Amino acid sequence: LAAILAFGQEAEQSPLPTFPSLLAAVEEGRAEFAVLPIENSLTGSIHENYDLLLAHDLTIVGQITVPIVHHLLALPGTELADLRRVSSHPQALSQCRRFLAAHSQWEVVPVYDTAGAAKLLRSSRIKEDGAIGSSQAAQDYGLAILASGIQDRADNQTRFLILGRKPLSKFGGSSRRRTSFVFSLAHLPGSLFRALAAFALREIDLLKIESRPIPERPWQYRFYLDVRGGMDEERLHSALVHLGEVAQDLRCLGSYPEEQASSLGGTHLCWR
Amino acid sequence: LAAILAFGQEAEQSPLPTFPSLLAAVEEGRAEFAVLPIENSLTGSIHENYDLLLAHDLTIVGQITVPIVHHLLALPGTELADLRRVSSHPQALSQCRRFLAAHSQWEVVPVYDTAGAAKLLRSSRIKEDGAIGSSQAAQDYGLAILASGIQDRADNQTRFLILGRKPLSKFGGSSRRRTSFVFSLAHLPGSLFRALAAFALREIDLLKIESRPIPERPWQYRFYLDVRGGMDEERLHSALVHLGEVAQDLRCLGSYPEEQASSLGGTHLCWR
């Protein structure tokens, strides 16, 4: 859905089984762009995907925010009263807590993968089983939607990054930019404060900070920062030079338009 | 294992199926303390458990760091050459990547729960299946250890918090203290910088920062901070008064000894 919103129905899609395989496909030229979920507004960052940004030599060229709508899926012909068990990924289950609490007679079964729950339901053909999933999963596996929009909050959204091999010259028009980078710090009192000074003293808005462990240095962290502004702005460029003086291993991950799905009005972004 | 290291073999243990149920048991007086994993040195924070700290009215009274050792488990009588499939939680699988790569003929199956993989193996009785798990899982489910210490890194550790209903008066001797708290900020340029100033200007060491989404305010964040020092120190007390001027919803989660399992030398901490 994120890929369709960003590139349109006509773009060729190449689904791959894991997140690392998406990034490898772009790196090796088998795909032009990867669409990678990075953060959900309720459940937070997909931290493994932050680690992947560091492990691959790609650039963030855009982002797209997609509303998440969960449905209760079952085999065609099943009625709500037939159900005894409902399965999905724990995140999806927790996002539909109120709906599930209103049907407390159902056994709730956490599984590793949301789409996998729908697929398993299709192959098992058990009339008493339901799965929580997307309308796409219903379509892909020929399942019926017994209840629609069952998530607790209407404003549940997931933000996806669009990754390419090099920055796009044709940016998304006049929209605001966002710039992402990663760095580590010497473990000294005040080091993060000094790093943030590079932005605060220039009144650059910090949009997100994420800390991730440095495996070879237990209990020390790498920081991922998103700030408002594009690398073509002198103020942000100066801030990064300043940050470079206090940080280690500074790397820019991309400077891209802050386009949101909600502002697209049904048309897709012009990435190419 | 963390509970035994912290409280000794003789302490009564009460295993519960989910993390929320651990905290509820302490809140309702059915248990004195909860032992909650919060962070792994390779894979990072257990973010859902940060959210639980906020949802429950408990205090962190201590922490304990436990080395993680993974083993390859199988039914007794199975040999390495018999195996065709190996299952475990994706985190455990990724922590044993090198061992698995050296046995690329095996199908690797991610499952939702590490101990569950061992339990399933016991009940399925399939000789071709292995599971990655702890020595405790081997013991609990009567499985054989085919290969020991198969994790990529020897310094893989998990940090557990010990939660109680009120702060302990008897602290862990002369050890250094750590204080944890949570707050949110107005979404203004420089607000995190001003918050960190409370500590940096007093040369208080920041040990960890973790950001978590605020569900009712999409793309805004709550910050969890760990700093060195105890709440009985005037410097830290002043810093928190200062932070209270710039932060919203500031709450102290606990001030506790920074004891590490590696420094225990086989004896348990004296919590009571």
Side-chain angles (χ1 to χ4, degrees):
Chain A
L1 182 55
I4 290 170
L5 281 170
F7 296 102
Q9 286 280 5
E10 68 275 18
E12 190 192 341
Q13 289 202 29
S14 160
L16 291 168
T18 65
F19 295 137
S21 61
L22 292 183
L23 278 68
V26 179
E27 245 173 1
E28 294 160 12
R30 287 179 282 119
E32 272 187 83
F33 299 105
V35 179
L36 184 76
I38 196 72
E39 181 180 19
N40 176 271
S41 62
L42 299 186
T43 53
S45 294
I46 296 135
H47 297 87
E48 298 78 0
N49 288 351
Y50 272 94
D51 298 345
L52 285 181
L53 294 181
L54 196 72
H56 292 264
D57 190 20
L58 294 176
T59 296
I60 307 170
V61 298
Q63 67 169 28
I64 189 135
T65 304
V66 177
I68 302 297
V69 182
H70 288 304
H71 306 294
L72 178 64
L73 313 179
L75 293 171
T78 306
E79 292 188 22
L80 211 56
D82 302 334
L83 291 188
R84 297 208 171 179
R85 286 199 303 187
V86 171
S87 67
S88 197
H89 189 278
Q91 279 209 350
L93 295 171
S94 78
Q95 289 170 1
C96 301
R97 205 174 283 151
R98 261 183 261 157
F99 179 82
L100 291 171
H103 298 87
S104 55
Q105 73 277 20
W106 295 340
E107 185 192 351
V108 173
V109 183
V111 294
Y112 180 57
D113 165 15
T114 315
K119 191 176 176 184
L120 197 66
L121 178 53
R122 181 77 243 178
S123 60
S124 74
R125 309 204 139 272
I126 301 174
K127 284 268 184 194
E128 296 174 348
D129 282 3
I132 290 176
S134 65
S135 56
Q136 191 66 48
Q139 200 180 313
D140 290 352
Y141 301 110
L143 297 172
I145 294 179
L146 293 195
S148 199
I150 59 170
Q151 71 278 7
D152 289 355
R153 296 187 60 92
D155 56 359
N156 182 4
Q157 305 162 63
T158 296
R159 188 166 65 89
F160 292 77
L161 298 179
I162 300 168
L163 300 163
R165 283 183 295 278
K166 52 178 198 285
L168 295 186
S169 54
K170 204 211 256 172
F171 264 109
S174 60
S175 80
R176 292 194 297 191
R177 308 276 166 92
R178 181 176 179 125
T179 299
S180 300
F181 42 90
V182 56
F183 58 91
S184 62
L185 294 168
H187 191 54
L188 295 168
S191 59
L192 181 59
F193 175 74
R194 278 190 295 278
L196 296 184
F199 306 98
L201 299 177
R202 290 174 179 85
E203 290 183 348
I204 294 169
D205 204 0
L206 187 64
L207 298 172
K208 176 150 203 233
I209 181 168
E210 193 62 58
S211 68
R212 291 293 300 151
I214 303 179
E216 56 276 19
R217 292 193 251 153
W219 318 125
Q220 292 193 38
Y221 306 89
R222 194 168 270 129
F223 299 94
Y224 290 83
L225 244 60
D226 284 2
V227 300
R228 183 153 287 151
M231 273 297 275
D232 52 339
E233 294 169 35
E234 197 178 321
R235 191 172 63 151
L236 184 52
H237 186 261
S238 305
L240 284 177
V241 170
H242 180 166
L243 178 62
E245 294 169 27
V246 294
Q248 301 161 353
D249 310 316
L250 174 61
R251 179 178 148 196
C252 184
L253 297 169
S255 193
Y256 47 96
E258 218 188 355
E259 211 82 16
Q260 304 283 324
S262 57
S263 70
L264 294 181
T267 63
H268 64 84
L269 300 177
C270 300
W271 298 110
R272 33 185 182 177
Chain B
L1 182 56
I4 289 169
L5 281 170
F7 296 102
Q9 286 280 5
E10 68 275 17
E12 190 191 341
Q13 289 203 30
S14 161
L16 290 168
T18 65
F19 294 137
S21 62
L22 291 183
L23 277 68
V26 178
E27 245 174 1
E28 294 160 13
R30 287 179 282 119
E32 273 188 83
F33 299 104
V35 179
L36 185 76
I38 196 72
E39 181 180 18
N40 176 270
S41 62
L42 298 186
T43 54
S45 294
I46 296 134
H47 296 88
E48 299 76 2
N49 288 351
Y50 271 94
D51 298 345
L52 285 180
L53 294 180
L54 195 71
H56 291 265
D57 191 21
L58 295 175
T59 295
I60 307 170
V61 299
Q63 69 169 27
I64 189 137
T65 303
V66 178
I68 302 296
V69 182
H70 290 303
H71 305 294
L72 178 64
L73 313 180
L75 293 171
T78 307
E79 292 189 22
L80 212 55
D82 302 333
L83 290 189
R84 297 209 171 178
R85 287 197 303 185
V86 171
S87 66
S88 197
H89 189 278
Q91 279 210 350
L93 294 172
S94 78
Q95 289 169 2
C96 300
R97 205 174 283 152
R98 259 183 261 158
F99 179 82
L100 292 172
H103 298 87
S104 56
Q105 72 277 21
W106 296 338
E107 185 192 352
V108 173
V109 183
V111 295
Y112 181 58
D113 163 18
T114 315
K119 191 177 175 183
L120 197 67
L121 178 54
R122 181 77 243 176
S123 60
S124 73
R125 309 203 140 274
I126 301 175
K127 283 267 183 194
E128 296 174 348
D129 282 3
I132 290 176
S134 65
S135 57
Q136 190 67 48
Q139 199 179 315
D140 290 352
Y141 300 109
L143 297 172
I145 294 179
L146 293 196
S148 199
I150 59 171
Q151 71 279 3
D152 289 355
R153 295 187 60 92
D155 55 1
N156 182 5
Q157 306 163 61
T158 296
R159 189 166 63 91
F160 292 78
L161 298 179
I162 299 166
L163 300 162
R165 284 183 296 277
K166 52 180 201 284
L168 294 186
S169 55
K170 203 211 259 175
F171 266 108
S174 60
S175 79
R176 291 194 298 189
R177 307 277 167 91
R178 180 175 179 126
T179 299
S180 299
F181 42 88
V182 57
F183 59 89
S184 61
L185 293 169
H187 191 53
L188 293 169
S191 59
L192 181 59
F193 175 74
R194 279 191 294 278
L196 295 184
F199 305 99
L201 299 177
R202 290 173 180 86
E203 291 182 349
I204 293 169
D205 204 0
L206 187 64
L207 298 172
K208 175 152 203 229
I209 181 167
E210 193 63 60
S211 68
R212 290 292 299 152
I214 304 180
E216 56 276 18
R217 292 193 250 154
W219 318 124
Q220 292 193 37
Y221 306 89
R222 195 169 269 127
F223 298 95
Y224 290 83
L225 243 59
D226 284 3
V227 299
R228 183 151 287 151
M231 274 296 276
D232 53 338
E233 294 169 35
E234 198 178 321
R235 190 171 64 150
L236 185 52
H237 187 261
S238 306
L240 284 176
V241 170
H242 180 167
L243 179 62
E245 293 169 29
V246 294
Q248 300 162 355
D249 310 317
L250 175 61
R251 179 176 147 198
C252 184
L253 296 170
S255 193
Y256 46 95
E258 216 187 356
E259 210 82 16
Q260 306 280 325
S262 57
S263 70
L264 293 179
T267 63
H268 64 83
L269 300 178
C270 300
W271 298 108
R272 31 185 185 180

